[in-house]
Amino acid sequence: MAGYILKRAVFNLGVMFVVVTLTFFLMRLLPGDPFTTRRVAPEIKDNILARYGLNQPLVTQYTGYLYNLARLDLGPSLKYPGRSVNDIIKESFPVSATVGLLALLLSIVLGVSLGVASAALRNKWPDRLVLVLATLGMSVPNFALGAGLIYIFALKLRWLPAAMSTSPVGLVLPALTLAALPAAIIVRLVRTEMIEALDRDYIVAARARGLNSCSVLFRHALPNALSGMVHYLSPLAATLLTGSFIVEKIFALPGLGQYYVTSVGNRDYNLVAGVTIFYTFVLLVSTFLADVLIFLINPQSRVRDEVT
């Protein structure tokens, strides 16, 4: 296990270096610069570029960025004067992470429970109802679902706030909106894996021994049907925790997703690179935790990894 962790750490550092390098140079390939839209005199613009070191050769900028990154300094924002990228991430990430964590938990609970029920009642009306709901969850876009939830629960029933609220109650609708698609995908993954597991010989043998249905489903079939879902959870967790631009825009939440999208249009090099690096870090950590979880759930995967 220690060797596996060391190999993954080296691999993750290599991935992070490639992401940093690509993000740095690709952003600078875009036409213009962060101050193109400002109507300022050329000499003032030159002073602004010099202030941020953007008038230096590209290699010098790159090595300087790597040096600051090694000290965990992501640099100043080029569009938000007086604010560093570290400060923006520190302020906005808790909002995105709270909504994302609620959505993640909700999608897991709904996806696994409905997926197991659908597989256990295969080809019956509850199974067809779950498949219809899963199809709707995958086909209805976030902005339409969010607008519908606001109309029903905020404007008509007046049960929940419509937007601009980071209280626990105010995060219910954003979490529901964000959880719809991953919950639908988890339902389909768990249902497919459960159906395959329920047809295997050891399940038939367990039933022949007189085990009850709950024991067969949750002790024997479900642990072997979760590997596909756990693999899906690692990129899902990174995506949900680092924020969704559409959901944060609809519900007017000051999350990281809004900064990420607007920074690309603003050519805010440091903010784009900083958020990308932060997203990659969360993705690599969640992927590593998912692999460890799979090892714990299914020891056979550990054996295969040791052999390879």
Side-chain angles (χ1 to χ4, degrees), residues 252-269:
L253 295 174
L256 194 57
Q258 285 206 57
Y259 282 108
Y260 190 36
V261 175
T262 54
S263 64
V264 176
N266 291 333
R267 297 182 182 83
D268 192 337
Y269 300 151

Side-chain angles (χ1 to χ4, degrees), residues 2-307:
Y4 171 76
I5 293 175
L6 182 61
K7 284 193 294 185
R8 284 300 299 264
V10 174
F11 173 79
N12 290 345
L13 283 176
V15 171
M16 188 67 78
F17 176 75
V18 172
V19 169
V20 171
T21 303
L22 286 177
T23 305
F24 182 89
F25 286 105
L26 288 177
M27 282 302 299
R28 280 153 178 82
L29 289 178
L30 294 176
D33 57 58
F35 312 104
T36 299
T37 56
R38 295 186 184 181
R39 296 180 179 178
V40 295
E43 57 272 15
I44 296 178
K45 183 177 178 179
D46 290 340
N47 289 335
I48 296 175
L49 293 175
R51 175 187 174 188
Y52 292 107
L54 298 177
N55 60 341
Q56 297 177 354
L58 206 54
V59 175
T60 305
Q61 295 182 42
Y62 176 63
T63 54
Y65 187 80
L66 290 181
Y67 174 75
N68 291 329
L69 184 62
R71 300 185 300 157
L72 302 181
D73 180 6
L74 297 173
S77 168
L78 305 179
K79 281 295 181 181
Y80 301 96
R83 301 181 67 185
S84 69
V85 176
N86 294 57
D87 292 336
I88 291 175
I89 293 176
K90 193 182 301 179
E91 293 169 7
S92 57
F93 177 64
V95 177
S96 297
T98 303
V99 178
L101 185 60
L102 288 173
L104 182 63
L105 295 175
L106 190 61
S107 59
I108 292 174
V109 172
L110 287 176
V112 173
S113 57
L114 292 178
V116 171
S118 180
L121 302 171
R122 185 177 12 169
N123 296 328
K124 297 181 180 177
W125 72 264
D127 177 33
R128 296 188 178 92
L129 177 61
V130 169
L131 291 179
V132 169
L133 293 176
T135 303
L136 288 175
M138 288 190 287
S139 56
V140 177
N142 275 348
F143 63 87
L145 179 61
L149 292 176
I150 289 175
Y151 178 78
I152 295 173
F153 294 102
L155 301 182
K156 288 298 181 182
L157 299 176
R158 298 182 182 277
W159 289 353
L160 299 168
M164 300 181 68
S165 174
T166 55
S167 66
V169 175
L171 297 181
V172 172
L173 293 184
L176 282 173
T177 305
L178 201 56
L181 176 60
I185 294 175
I186 291 175
V187 166
R188 299 303 300 254
L189 287 174
V190 173
R191 179 182 182 275
T192 301
E193 296 285 343
M194 280 292 291
I195 288 175
E196 291 182 2
L198 290 173
D199 289 337
R200 289 174 183 162
D201 293 339
Y202 67 91
I203 295 294
V204 176
R207 285 176 171 154
R209 292 200 305 271
L211 296 179
N212 59 53
S213 298
C214 288
S215 179
V216 170
L217 281 176
F218 296 104
R219 288 186 56 191
H220 297 275
L222 184 58
N224 294 292
L226 290 179
S227 58
M229 185 201 73
V230 175
H231 278 298
Y232 170 65
L233 286 183
S234 54
L236 173 66
T239 302
L240 294 181
L241 294 178
T242 51
S244 164
F245 170 74
I246 295 176
V247 173
E248 291 174 0
K249 194 73 175 177
I250 291 174
F251 294 96
L253 295 174
L256 194 57
Q258 285 206 57
Y259 282 108
Y260 190 36
V261 175
T262 54
S263 64
V264 176
N266 291 333
R267 297 182 182 83
D268 192 337
Y269 300 151
N270 290 342
L271 188 53
V272 172
V275 177
T276 302
I277 292 168
F278 184 71
Y279 172 82
T280 305
F281 174 76
V282 175
L283 176 63
L284 293 176
V285 171
S286 60
T287 303
F288 171 73
L289 293 178
D291 289 345
V292 173
L293 185 59
I294 289 174
F295 283 172
L296 297 176
I297 293 175
N298 186 5
Q300 291 181 350
S301 63
R302 187 187 311 171
V303 174
R304 284 197 300 270
D305 184 75
E306 290 172 352
V307 170

